[in-house]
Amino acid sequence: MIQAIAPFLLIFPIVGALINGFFGRRIQNTGGPNKGELVSGWIGTLMSFAAFGVAIALFLALRNDYGPHIVTLFDWFNVGDFHVPWEMQIDRLSSVMLLVVTGVGSLIHIYAIGYMHGDKNFARFFTYLNLFMFFMLILVTGSSYLVLFVGWEGVGLASFLLIGFWFDKNRKIDGVYEGVLNSNASRKAFVANRFGDLFMILAMSLMFWTFGSMQFEEVFAAATHGFEAGDKSLPLILTLITLFLLLGATGKSAQIPFFVWLPDAMAGPTPVSALMHAATMVTSGIYLLVRSNVLLEIVRESGYELFGLVTTPELVAMTGAITALYAGLIAMTQFDIKKVLAYSTVSQLGFMIAAVGMGAYVAAMFHLVTHAFFKALLFMGAGSVIHGMEHGHHHLHDHGHGHDDHHDHGEADGHHVVAAAVHGHHDESSHDSAVVTHTAAAHDDHADHHVEDDFDPQDMRYMGNIKKYMPWTTTVYIIGALALSGIVPFAGFWSKDEILAHASFNFNGGDGGWIFRVVTWLLTAAAICTAFYMGRQLKMVFFGHERHEATYHASESNRHMVAPLVVLAVLSLLGGILNFPYFSEADATASLGHYAEPYESCGDGKIRECFSGGHGDSHGDDAHGDADTHAADDSHSDDAHAEDAAHGDDHSEAHDYGINLALEHWLEPALQSFELTEEHIVHLPHTAQSVQWRVAIQSTILAVLALCASFFFVYRGFNSESRKADDIDPLFTVPILSSFLTGMQRLPLDTLYMGVLRPIFNAFSWFCGIILDWDFYHDFVHEQLIRAPYLWFSGFVSKTLDRGLLDGGLVLGVGKLLRGFSGIYKNFQSGYVRNYALGLFLGVVGLVLYFILG
Amino acid sequence: MQFVEPTLNLSVILPIIILTFSTLLLMFVDFWVPDERKDITGWLSLFPLGGALTATFFQWDTIKGAFNSSVLQDNFSTYLSILYLITGMLSVLISIGYIRKRGHGRSEYYFLMLFSLVGMMLMGMANDLLIVFLALELLSIPLYIMSGFDRTDLNSEESALKYFLLGAFSSGFLVFGIALIYGAVGSTALPDIAEGIATSGTVGLAGIAMLLVGFMFKVGTVPFHMWTPDVYQGAPTSVTAFMSVGAKVAGFAALMRVLISSMGSMDEKWIPALAVIAAATMIVGNIAALTQTNIKRLLAYSSIAHAGYILMAVTASTKSDDGVGAALFYMMTYMFTNLGAFAAVMAMERFSGNKQLDLDDYKGMGKHNFAFAIVMMLLMFSLTGIPLTGGFVGKFYVFKTALEADLVWLVIIAALTSVVSAFYYMRVVFNMFMFDGEIDMPTVPNALKLVMAVAAIATLVLGVLPADWYTIAQNALMTTGG
């Protein structure tokens, strides 16, 4: 069955993209501008739901079956004995990703119908969304690094298209058109990702060069075999491969050093932020590393240290942990509601990467899933708030100014029609005409208009007391925030706690080494930051008093937007069930038989059989005796319940037996490291089976304290109605604290890149910091330290070396160089042919000398 | 002395005979075509090409020598002939309206193009250095004239003169090289050279170096590339398109034939030289392209860079079984993509005032003409080497073959420079989709649209389902004997 239905995973989204791509505009404008947008939107959404259906079917098929199933679509490359067939690999790891991508993705599709309502490029948006789903599904189902890379590039393209979706926005921000800023943001994402991709290519080349294959199964088998055989060069090669994979992942999953694009990516429409830049696309780096777990574990086992410092898994852990804390600190200082969430995403991805580096692959996937729930929820909640604020502002604007410039105004903001449609202040036809016939003149008029009113619907300083106006959004947002902060019993608590428990378990009881200790501290500090900035955001947005008149007119968003939020809120509440730990070691032991080891849970001492069944053909589980498979089967079926419940399909109560560690049982057969640990080839660090009470209580107390602290300190004294948005946060006026907070805003300056170089670059950086935003100090590094020398170098080569030295020959080199800069290149006279000839002749001399003497 | 009767296997050069004589016939027919309707000659010139193409298809999988084995027919030459003839057809199609609108609707253009194609086909078949030289001149001289075809435009004249002078200069080296090799080995036939070259000493080595110069000039590798940007920019765009594909592929054809079949034993000697040249070509071509603002000049530097990638596969061809196949496959993708890109440039070009050849002229294209912009984007993706386009697959095979030949450092440079190339190709895409601008696009002739469509479809097909096509390229092996 798997063979038959798996291709439909890819067919549905691409069909949706094609329909909307070719006929979308016609469908959207059937019977008048945007009259048919619901049809267009639901086509895209249903295709996504269809893919979700396929994913569920695959999930059910995998319940009693370990996979991996290879589904060959067609032959892609055929070179002698080297074949790259286009294959899908359906196993338990990809099935988890499939459920997240299609499940959360479908909900976001519904939300987008509401959010994009009235946008003149409505159909194009859904084309891109489905295109993204298509590539994301290629990414997670590919059976080789090469196919994965196709998806990897494809989602990058979709991301690029969607970040710059509003490239024609004509609002001016600081004298620059917002559309230009949007397209700059998309370009930045593209370029940053290309750097990451370079390393992916290097990793794949090296892999192919060494193992002669890029198929997951073949590479892992060859690596394991080589390691067992004691291949001396293998540790170095695998270290390089994993290092390149890590760097590839830092690009896509926005980690240090390539994270700079993600905050800018918030220029895209909010559903895009929720879908790609929080829940799915950015997690593909984590998926890549989890998929490569065998390679990482072999490197860990070999103990090969990069530059004699750290092994690559340790480097992975450190990268994740440092990013988690670093982004968490920056998130505390942001005022844009979406940028707080963006930095938060970077921080949470850091948690996952750190978990991968520590060998806690299941914990990483667990956090990936729960994070997809609550971060999608938070983003879409933020979108809902922004919508409300925009509406409030339009309302205010209309009444305040008394003349009807509403259309132009709203058009530039992208979704004025929502406000109007929901509240019926204007008749539809006038809006429609505004949508269709907007002109440059209207834009200019509008742009001028906006200069005098710098209201920003995303700025949290303009919000306050939204709870009074948007009760649904407020409720679900608080659930999401508590889940993210790691408060019992929300989903985020369980997944984050599993990572922290793993870290501390290994440095207290295990042989993890100093890295685990440092990672534990960093992640604990990052968790405190998380609670603080979420508390700060809740207080600034939903509580306190209104700080801007627009807030008084904010109103709840439409049904399309609220419904998915509620579903996600339920998931954020219950997601912890997915991998519920045991409450004590005794429970764990009792439930899992004689073994309390985390991975030896497949059956009673028959692990080998269980695993070999999984890795043989797909019917291999027939080999299990009833007694052996009893535990495994039960846990799997219960696992199914948990997943179903989590996805809102089946709210039946989960079993009280076997529910524990469901995700871990589910993923074990797909993560070969577990099997290799059984064979004592590698040693996967143990994950605690039961709740680590000390860690859990400690992190809960810290999170609650941080939440309370944020509520107590942030905007303290702002509860009087006389205070307005323009007033400075009193927190920033406390003598010592203010320098601390300001310092955090400037933090990037003092850490990382500039830590060593600061004395030298201080003067220079002060200058640039005035011009560029402090928070994005990295932009300086990337623009000035990398791009500028790069451009200078290319200019030097093309103008000086190529035109001057070669074209101009050595004789006229200097004169040519000067003229080359003046750009008069077309004033060539025949004399210069002589110089070409001279260059040619020098080439001849060089070649002849080489051949005769060399 | 014993006189051996030469074997005249005329079937070997049947496509060439068809092309030559039907072109001569066309010249007579042309007398009756009125001056203002010379387009008709253009359409008619598709018939000689079609006839030659049909004859070529029947030659697949047969190996024969002719004229005492100085001309050779094998799958290598047949594959290349097919490439040239397709190039010819697409070039004729893009030229028809273009040449007329430029005010030079004269039919000599088509005759020159067809004769140049004869030279190219002969390049792939030549099994004797003298035939190589003959073919090279036969292909070059019409190109010199065609570069200056736009007589009223000074740039075009300058371009022709530069091309001619430097071309003659480099041909001199080629002849000198042939003479030295003849002096060292006592023959100009490639099989004889293969036997004698290893023991030929300094004279033979100097001969190889000189010979390489002649080919390197034709394909435009560093440091023999300086003519390329000027000539490509000045020549009429249809000629540039034809030249950038046809002449380059022909140069590589002769280079591969000579190096592999007659100098394979010397590969320890020439691999380092070619590898350094390939690296320098990729670096200079890609980096110099970064600062270009004129799209023809940008594509000129881009074609230099692509010559570097092809040269990389040639470098690996004696160490890796797939070197020749990778180079041939790359040429196929390059042919379609580059012709398509130039066709797109021609669709935008105007002949007076602002010629619309700047990158800025493409701003806002995404809104103005979505289909055009999408095709252009696809072609730019392919030139960059982004997956699911032919360019990616071509690069993939080239990198793979170079890895097999242990040229790891060269692959690293190639990977880095192909990342660099994304910057300038993407600038075109960014300009089209991310900026607003006034587009003043001339009406695009249908023939041009057809070529763009063919290029786009071929690029996609080669990118998504390359397996069969690559198998064909792999089977296009060259034979060494007669």
Side-chain angles (χ1 to χ4, degrees), chain A residues 595-840:
Chain A
Y595 291 86
E597 298 294 327
Y599 36 80
E600 298 181 6
S601 50
C602 203
D604 189 12
K606 299 286 186 184
I607 297 108
R608 292 287 296 119
E609 207 176 309
C610 163
F611 280 117
S612 57
H615 286 277
D617 62 339
S618 55
H619 307 292
D621 56 343
D622 291 348
H624 295 274
D626 281 339
D628 294 340
T629 51
H630 182 70
D633 283 349
D634 268 353
S635 67
H636 291 168
S637 54
D638 288 326
D639 178 27
H641 283 296
E643 288 267 354
D644 284 349
H647 285 93
D649 297 307
D650 180 1
H651 285 282
S652 68
E653 196 184 335
H655 249 258
D656 60 341
Y657 154 86
I659 184 68
N660 306 70
L661 299 181
L663 188 68
E664 183 157 330
H665 293 311
W666 177 257
L667 285 176
E668 263 174 17
L671 300 173
Q672 287 99 322
S673 295
F674 283 102
E675 185 193 357
L676 296 177
T677 305
E678 275 310 300
E679 295 170 6
H680 300 291
I681 296 171
V682 301
H683 293 89
L684 191 64
H686 299 184
T687 304
Q689 300 262 291
S690 56
V691 178
Q692 297 291 296
W693 290 105
R694 197 181 56 74
V695 178
I697 292 170
Q698 172 191 311
S699 63
T700 307
I701 290 174
L702 288 174
V704 171
L705 280 180
L707 266 180
C708 295
S710 68
F711 261 76
F712 186 71
F713 287 118
V714 171
Y715 270 47
R716 186 167 154 72
F718 257 61
N719 288 343
S720 109
E721 294 202 32
S722 61
R723 306 305 285 265
K724 291 297 171 203
D726 300 339
D727 295 342
I728 192 169
D729 180 353
L731 206 59
F732 278 79
T733 57
V734 181
I736 300 169
L737 199 61
S738 70
S739 55
F740 175 65
L741 286 171
T742 324
M744 279 199 300
Q745 280 187 312
R746 299 177 181 182
L747 188 76
L749 170 69
D750 295 328
T751 51
L752 275 174
Y753 289 106
M754 304 311 289
V756 185
L757 300 172
R758 188 171 73 151
I760 307 161
F761 276 97
N762 234 353
F764 202 156
S765 62
W766 175 83
F767 169 73
C768 291
I770 298 296
I771 296 165
L772 301 167
D773 195 81
W774 273 120
D775 297 326
F776 294 102
Y777 197 76
H778 277 69
D779 288 8
F780 161 70
V781 176
H782 281 250
E783 296 272 324
Q784 300 294 321
L785 294 191
I786 297 177
R787 184 170 161 268
Y790 184 77
L791 282 183
W792 175 85
F793 181 67
S794 74
F796 174 73
V797 170
S798 111
K799 291 199 179 111
T800 314
L801 275 186
D802 194 44
R803 289 189 197 172
L805 281 176
L806 289 177
D807 284 8
L810 292 176
V811 183
L812 285 178
V814 179
K816 194 52 215 331
L817 188 146
L818 293 173
R819 253 174 301 179
F821 277 108
S822 69
I824 312 168
Y825 191 51
K826 289 183 180 168
N827 290 351
F828 267 98
Q829 302 300 313
S830 57
Y832 288 95
V833 172
R834 192 179 58 203
N835 298 323
Y836 289 7
L838 180 65
L840 202 156

Side-chain angles (χ1 to χ4, degrees), chain A residues 330-351:
Chain A
I330 300 181
M332 292 202 246
T333 64
Q334 298 295 308
F335 287 111
D336 183 315
I337 186 169
K338 279 177 79 181
K339 288 215 166 143
V340 172
L341 295 177
Y343 278 110
S344 161
T345 304
V346 174
S347 172
Q348 296 302 309
L349 292 168
F351 271 86

Side-chain angles (χ1 to χ4, degrees), chain A residues 21 74-80 82 84 86 120-121 124 128 134-135 138 146 149-150 153 157 160-161 164-165 167-168 170 179-180 182-184 186-188 190-191 194-195 197-198 201-202 204-206 208-209 214 438 787 790-791 793-795 797-799 802-803 806-807 825-830 832-845 847-854, chain B residues 155 158 161-162 165-166 169-170 173 202 205-206 208-210 212-213 216-217 222-227 229-230 233 266 268-273 277 283-284 287-292 294 297 301 322 367 370 377 381 384-388 392-393 396-397 399-400 403-404 406 408 411-412 415-416 418-423 426-427 429-430 433-436 463-468 470-471 474:
Chain A
F74 52 85
D75 262 9
W76 192 20
F77 291 96
N78 229 340
V79 190
F82 170 62
V84 179
W86 190 295
K120 65 184 189 297
N121 291 317
R124 183 156 67 90
Y128 290 165
F134 172 68
F135 280 119
I138 288 182
L146 199 61
F149 187 63
V150 172
E153 291 279 310
L157 171 69
F160 164 72
L161 290 170
F165 188 77
F167 67 88
D168 51 358
N170 269 35
V180 175
N182 289 349
S183 46
N184 279 347
S186 67
R187 187 161 42 179
K188 184 171 180 180
F190 194 79
V191 170
R194 282 299 290 185
F195 272 105
D197 296 347
L198 167 68
I201 295 173
L202 287 177
M204 290 196 299
S205 305
L206 195 53
F208 181 74
W209 194 40
M214 293 186 228
H438 75 284
R787 184 170 161 268
Y790 184 77
L791 282 183
F793 181 67
S794 74
V797 170
S798 111
K799 291 199 179 111
D802 194 44
R803 289 189 197 172
L806 289 177
D807 284 8
Y825 191 51
K826 289 183 180 168
N827 290 351
F828 267 98
Q829 302 300 313
S830 57
Y832 288 95
V833 172
R834 192 179 58 203
N835 298 323
Y836 289 7
L838 180 65
L840 202 156
F841 181 71
L842 289 176
V844 175
V845 171
L847 260 185
V848 170
L849 283 180
Y850 164 77
F851 268 94
I852 293 177
L853 303 176
Chain B
N155 287 331
E158 182 193 325
L161 194 62
K162 272 184 187 163
L165 284 174
L166 292 168
F169 191 49
S170 73
F173 286 107
T202 313
L205 288 170
I208 297 177
M210 299 273 185
L212 285 180
V213 173
M216 294 292 171
F217 176 84
V222 176
F224 313 106
H225 70 289
M226 281 98 70
W227 58 277
D230 289 11
Q233 190 180 2
M266 306 284 288
E268 296 303 331
K269 198 76 189 172
W270 53 256
I271 281 178
I277 292 176
I283 292 170
V284 171
I287 290 183
L290 284 175
T291 48
Q292 301 308 322
N294 180 299
R297 230 179 147 75
Y301 278 110
D322 297 325
K367 277 188 176 169
F370 188 67
M377 181 180 83
F381 278 5
T384 318
I386 288 176
L388 295 184
F392 168 75
V393 183
F396 175 87
Y397 288 128
F399 286 21
K400 179 176 159 293
L403 280 178
E404 281 173 0
D406 284 335
V408 181
V411 174
I412 292 171
L416 284 172
S418 68
V419 170
V420 171
S421 75
F423 285 80
M426 286 309 127
R427 231 167 65 210
V429 179
F430 289 140
F433 288 99
M434 295 286 154
F435 290 96
D436 279 330
V464 178
L465 300 165
D468 292 342
Y470 185 62
T471 313
Q474 263 187 313

Side-chain angles (χ1 to χ4, degrees), chain A residues 189-465:
Chain A
F190 194 79
V191 170
N193 270 305
R194 282 299 290 185
F195 272 105
D197 296 347
L198 167 68
F199 293 104
M200 277 292 284
I201 295 173
L202 287 177
M204 290 196 299
S205 305
L206 195 53
M207 215 177 271
F208 181 74
W209 194 40
T210 318
F211 303 119
S213 172
M214 293 186 228
Q215 300 287 112
F216 293 136
E217 299 293 313
E218 291 174 19
V219 170
F220 300 154
T224 313
H225 187 74
F227 184 64
E228 274 184 300
D231 186 340
K232 286 279 183 286
S233 63
L234 194 72
L236 170 62
I237 289 169
L238 286 183
T239 295
L240 287 176
I241 290 177
T242 45
L243 176 68
F244 291 147
L245 289 176
L246 167 66
L247 286 166
T250 57
K252 195 61 87 197
S253 290
Q255 299 291 294
I256 291 171
F258 293 136
F259 74 86
V260 288
W261 64 272
L262 188 62
D264 280 25
M266 296 301 124
T270 302
V272 173
S273 309
L275 177 60
M276 303 167 69
H277 306 122
T280 58
M281 185 187 89
V282 289
T283 60
S284 48
I286 285 100
Y287 168 75
L288 173 74
L289 291 173
V290 171
R291 179 58 87 188
S292 312
N293 64 82
V294 175
L295 305 181
L296 283 167
E297 288 311 315
I298 290 178
V299 173
R300 191 197 304 282
E301 184 67 20
S302 75
Y304 185 90
E305 291 179 331
L306 201 63
F307 307 120
L309 294 173
V310 287
T311 62
T312 42
E314 288 169 349
L315 186 66
V316 172
M318 288 302 286
T319 308
I322 292 172
T323 311
L325 176 58
Y326 182 65
L329 284 172
I330 300 181
M332 292 202 246
T333 64
Q334 298 295 308
F335 287 111
D336 183 315
I337 186 169
K338 279 177 79 181
K339 288 215 166 143
V340 172
L341 295 177
Y343 278 110
S344 161
T345 304
V346 174
S347 172
Q348 296 302 309
L349 292 168
F351 271 86
M352 297 174 212
I353 295 268
V356 170
M358 294 186 296
Y361 301 106
V362 175
M365 290 303 293
F366 185 25
H367 199 52
L368 189 157
V369 174
T370 58
H371 177 256
F373 296 156
F374 56 68
K375 193 50 74 63
L377 167 63
L378 287 172
F379 264 113
M380 304 204 294
S384 177
V385 170
I386 295 166
H387 240 225
M389 289 300 287
E390 271 178 353
H391 167 253
H393 189 233
H394 292 319
H395 185 98
L396 176 72
H397 205 243
D398 272 356
H399 294 275
H401 291 268
H403 60 87
D404 192 14
D405 60 352
H406 185 105
H407 315 298
D408 308 339
H409 167 73
E411 176 58 26
D413 269 359
H415 13 259
H416 70 298
V417 189
V418 175
V422 174
H423 287 269
H425 286 306
H426 298 270
D427 60 293
E428 284 290 328
S429 61
S430 74
H431 278 288
D432 295 336
S433 64
V435 171
V436 177
T437 61
H438 75 284
T439 60
H443 279 303
D444 287 343
D445 172 42
H446 167 65
D448 290 341
H449 182 76
H450 243 287
V451 172
E452 59 190 76
D453 178 5
D454 55 358
F455 173 78
D456 179 356
Q458 303 196 11
D459 194 326
M460 299 197 290
R461 283 171 291 198
Y462 292 105
M463 301 173 185
N465 207 16

